Amino acid sequence: MSLSQKVLYLKAWQRCLRSPWLIQTYSFSDIVHKKMKLAPLQERRMIDRFRIWAKGGDGGNGCNSIRRSRHDRRGRPDGGNGGRGGDVILECSPTMWDLSALQHHINAKRGGNGSSKNMIGSRGADKVIQVPVGTVIHLVEGELPSAVEKSSSSKLDPWEIPGTVDTDSSEFSTQSISAEQTSSKVEKKNKSSGRRASRAEEYSTPRTQNFGLPTNSRTTCSIASDKFESDDDDLSDWEEESCEEMEDQDGDDIMGTTCEDESEETELIEYNVAELTEQGQRIVVARGGEGGLGNLSMRKASKITQKGANSDDEVSDDYDHASPSVGLPGSEVVLVLELKSIADVGLIGMPNAGKSTLLGALSKAKPVVGDYAFTTLRPNLGNVNYYDFSLTVADIPGLIRGAHENRGLGHAFLRHIERTKVLAYVVDLAAALGDNKGIPPWEQLNDLILELEYYSEGLSDRPSLVVANKVDEDGAEEVYKELKRRVSGVPVFPVSAILEEGVPELKDGLRMLISGEHTHRLQLDGIVLHQNAAYVSI
Ligand SMILES: Nc1nc2c(ncn2[C@@H]2O[C@H](COP(=O)(O)OP(=O)(O)OP(=O)(O)O)[C@@H](O)[C@H]2O)c(=O)[nH]1
């Protein structure tokens, strides 16, 4: 290194020492160029509830401009109007898997200001947020300015699943959103702020029941609408969970308030104000504000009013220099988005029963399979194509006895089967064989039904069948025969998911249930738990 090079090198170092940000820039740039490795889908936690604050863009300001010329020394107003702010729009997209790509704060762009020569400001750009198919919108604050544009509720209705999609015309429908209709679905929490107090009065309809929980803990929220009475435990969990989720993601402070702060206030939540169930459906959740008037429009407006007031009088020109108006702010809304996957068949079973393996055998889906419990941490969806029919199957994370008390992964994932047409109970025939200390299949079925019912009454009351998996294991054949003797009312399909044996017959069974040819339902009465009890076989 020559002397001049050494001097240059030293000078560069001196500069770095004087301004430490230079060193930081170097180190940051190194980090940026490192290849980011994304965690596999299964390992990422599914975000299926998300709270957002959306604000439409403010309108641009009107312009105050006077155009003067040699012949008109006094000048004439020529200020243009401000542009309208952009809207915040939710769009249903099948490419989205969950709500993890969303941000808590969503702002549409502000409209441009008007300018001289009567030039109108540009319209603020809309903010279009992609949400997954099956997103349900709950309204926490504000109003939804529009309805879902391409509603598909008629497609859901024929499923006629009790307690899932609300079809009562007196209640809120996805097609029409109005304050009167939504007011019946209200949750009350404790109240402290004046602003929210007025909302509480607004929404306290005769149907609204307050379960009287005047403490400031967030676990004490109650359900006002009788429609949601059965879900109250779940909903209080839900509030708690969504707070925790947000804490996880954004640290303690979310949207300027901590979850604890939030819990001290009352929140009125209008449930199911809209749902996006089909690709391409859109809903405007926050409208952009109108642009302000430029002084030219102001002048015209005041001329018209003055003419109206005294039509015979001469209209004076004193208002020529009227000041322009400021653009209106965009509307604000606080929403909770909840994802309820839509599938034809829901696979329900204990951990390790072989649900993910079965999904892989039925469809081209490649879920993670492992010989340990709780391999599945999020619902998986697969498409089954079989001759002339195709259906979607949802593999739900394993349920265990006491899931409703939050054991295992809890039963939060069960919301993903609320909208499935058919239930397939997957039982492990080998669970209690030999040294295995698992639960016999008939007890597995009993526990599964109880967990479904604990989650939501009537959830198990839909067409169903039983998949007796792992029939390839030694001794499983006898257990299958015993299961057939103990379970009545539904078909039982012996399957080896790993060897793909019995899968075509199972597909046939699912097709018949979905087409309505068969309407078998598994009920607690149809399961014989104790050997001395009488049984009826189908
Ligand atoms: N012998 C045999 N083993 C199977 C069969 N199906 C699945 N298994 C095994 O059972 C274990 C659990 O399978 P998974 O498909 O992960 O079970 P799961 O029900 O999805 O489990 P969770 O993710 O915990 O809910 C794996 O080791 C599979 O290889 C089968 O038909 N026969």
Side-chain angles (χ1 to χ4, degrees):
M1 196 185 280
S2 69
L3 187 68
S4 59
Q5 275 177 328
K6 275 183 188 167
V7 171
L8 278 174
Y9 184 76
L10 273 172
K11 274 187 180 169
W13 262 110
Q14 274 173 350
R15 231 181 302 145
C16 280
L17 289 174
R18 269 202 303 273
S19 33
W21 59 268
L22 270 177
I23 302 173
Q24 275 179 16
T25 315
Y26 296 140
S27 48
F28 280 135
S29 63
D30 287 346
I31 292 167
V32 168
H33 287 109
K34 267 184 192 162
K35 220 176 174 184
M36 295 288 285
K37 207 175 170 188
L38 275 178
L41 198 61
Q42 258 309 317
E43 285 169 26
R44 275 193 285 140
R45 200 177 148 204
M46 185 188 203
I47 307 291
D48 53 2
R49 284 176 186 141
F50 202 82
R51 188 180 172 109
I52 61 167
W53 174 88
K55 185 177 181 299
D58 295 342
N61 296 338
C63 172
N64 187 10
S65 160
I66 305 294
R67 184 179 172 78
R68 290 194 174 84
S69 67
R70 210 183 295 166
H71 310 293
D72 185 4
R73 302 287 300 277
R74 198 169 163 227
R76 302 215 143 248
D78 74 340
N81 297 344
R84 205 169 83 77
D87 299 334
V88 178
I89 299 167
L90 299 186
E91 188 181 70
C92 191
S93 162
T95 57
M96 303 296 290
W97 176 254
D98 66 1
L99 303 168
S100 57
L102 267 60
Q103 289 179 340
H104 288 296
H105 282 82
I106 301 161
N107 270 308
K109 286 269 188 271
R110 186 180 181 278
N113 292 340
S115 54
S116 59
K117 297 185 187 165
N118 193 21
M119 287 209 280
I120 298 167
S122 57
R123 192 189 181 286
D126 291 340
K127 186 93 180 168
V128 181
I129 307 295
Q130 308 260 307
V131 293
V133 179
T135 300
V136 179
I137 300 171
H138 308 297
L139 186 62
V140 180
E141 224 177 283
E143 266 178 32
L144 286 189
S146 80
V148 175
E149 266 172 24
K150 198 175 93 186
S151 180
S152 68
S153 56
S154 58
K155 284 209 165 175
L156 286 174
D157 289 348
W159 294 6
E160 287 173 357
I161 299 162
T164 54
V165 183
D166 192 1
T167 52
D168 188 345
S169 59
S170 66
E171 295 292 328
F172 193 85
S173 86
T174 55
Q175 306 207 352
S176 55
I177 298 163
S178 67
E180 305 93 81
Q181 284 168 310
T182 51
S183 61
S184 61
K185 293 181 177 176
V186 168
E187 177 180 340
K188 277 194 150 192
K189 275 171 72 187
N190 309 315
K191 187 150 196 87
S192 64
S193 78
R195 181 166 55 91
R196 293 185 176 195
S198 63
R199 275 179 65 84
E201 279 162 28
E202 194 183 319
Y203 287 114
S204 54
T205 58
R207 284 194 60 206
T208 304
Q209 298 169 24
N210 185 3
F211 289 85
L213 297 164
T215 67
N216 59 1
S217 154
R218 64 184 156 171
T219 54
T220 56
C221 58
S222 61
I223 293 97
S225 165
D226 45 13
K227 274 234 157 231
F228 288 83
E229 237 170 281
S230 61
D231 286 350
D232 56 355
D233 284 348
D234 179 50
L235 287 163
S236 52
D237 287 353
W238 179 66
E239 286 300 310
E240 210 171 321
E241 216 181 87
S242 54
C243 275
E244 279 162 15
E245 258 171 32
M246 284 190 279
E247 266 175 44
D248 283 355
Q249 287 172 21
D250 282 0
D252 285 337
D253 198 345
I254 294 145
M255 295 182 201
T257 52
T258 61
C259 281
E260 274 65 33
D261 289 345
E262 187 94 353
S263 65
E264 282 168 16
E265 296 187 352
T266 298
E267 261 185 6
L268 295 164
I269 299 178
E270 294 161 26
Y271 290 100
N272 299 349
V273 289
E275 51 187 38
L276 299 163
T277 52
E278 261 186 23
Q279 175 178 4
Q281 279 184 328
R282 283 179 150 220
I283 183 170
V284 177
V285 290
R287 264 239 198 274
E290 290 299 330
L293 293 180
N295 59 349
L296 177 61
S297 302
M298 295 273 281
R299 177 186 172 228
K300 282 181 187 164
S302 50
K303 261 188 177 173
I304 290 164
T305 25
Q306 207 178 29
K307 259 189 191 170
N310 43 354
S311 50
D312 300 334
D313 298 351
E314 186 85 349
V315 179
S316 78
D317 236 15
D318 296 344
Y319 34 77
D320 273 1
H321 299 268
S323 58
S325 66
V326 176
L328 294 177
S331 68
E332 281 177 49
V333 75
V334 180
L335 304 172
V336 172
L337 305 182
E338 192 178 17
L339 176 62
K340 291 184 178 181
S341 310
I342 298 171
D344 296 306
V345 181
L347 300 182
I348 310 293
M350 300 262 158
N352 256 344
K355 299 177 295 297
S356 306
T357 315
L358 183 63
L359 181 70
L362 284 169
S363 69
K364 286 182 180 160
K366 296 272 171 284
V368 178
V369 174
D371 58 352
Y372 51 91
F374 303 117
T375 320
T376 311
L377 298 174
R378 54 192 295 161
N380 293 307
L381 286 182
N383 248 328
V384 180
N385 294 310
Y386 189 59
Y387 296 118
D388 56 338
F389 83 100
S390 111
L391 49 92
T392 46
V393 180
D395 161 29
I396 310 295
L399 284 177
I400 57 167
R401 199 177 279 176
H404 66 282
E405 290 164 347
N406 228 11
R407 293 206 188 134
L409 293 179
H411 60 188
F413 290 113
L414 286 181
R415 86 173 69 94
H416 294 278
I417 60 151
E418 271 184 31
R419 296 202 259 194
T420 55
K421 286 184 209 173
V422 167
L423 295 180
Y425 294 92
V426 184
V427 291
D428 181 355
L429 291 178
L433 273 178
D435 295 338
N436 297 344
K437 291 184 181 139
I439 307 171
W442 39 93
E443 282 186 28
Q444 291 177 34
L445 288 174
N446 188 64
D447 291 352
L448 290 171
I449 295 180
L450 286 177
E451 290 305 332
L452 293 189
E453 291 297 315
Y454 278 132
Y455 174 75
S456 169
E457 215 178 307
L459 190 59
S460 67
D461 185 20
R462 65 186 72 191
S464 43
L465 53 78
V466 175
V467 182
N469 193 27
K470 305 195 186 178
V471 76
D472 55 287
E473 295 256 345
D474 288 343
E477 198 68 41
E478 282 68 45
V479 183
Y480 164 65
K481 284 178 190 155
E482 181 68 18
L483 179 69
K484 284 273 285 179
R485 278 197 292 273
R486 286 173 179 257
V487 174
S488 62
V490 285
V492 182
F493 290 89
V495 166
S496 168
I498 210 159
L499 302 177
E500 301 198 7
E501 280 174 16
V503 173
E505 291 81 1
L506 175 61
K507 283 181 180 175
D508 262 343
L510 290 174
R511 184 182 58 78
M512 282 194 269
L513 280 184
I514 283 166
S515 62
E517 278 174 60
H518 291 172
T519 53
H520 310 287
R521 281 167 158 75
L522 181 64
Q523 282 165 346
L524 286 176
D525 312 346
I527 304 168
V528 178
L529 288 179
H530 306 292
Q531 268 190 337
N532 51 359
Y535 57 79
V536 191
S537 69
I538 57 166

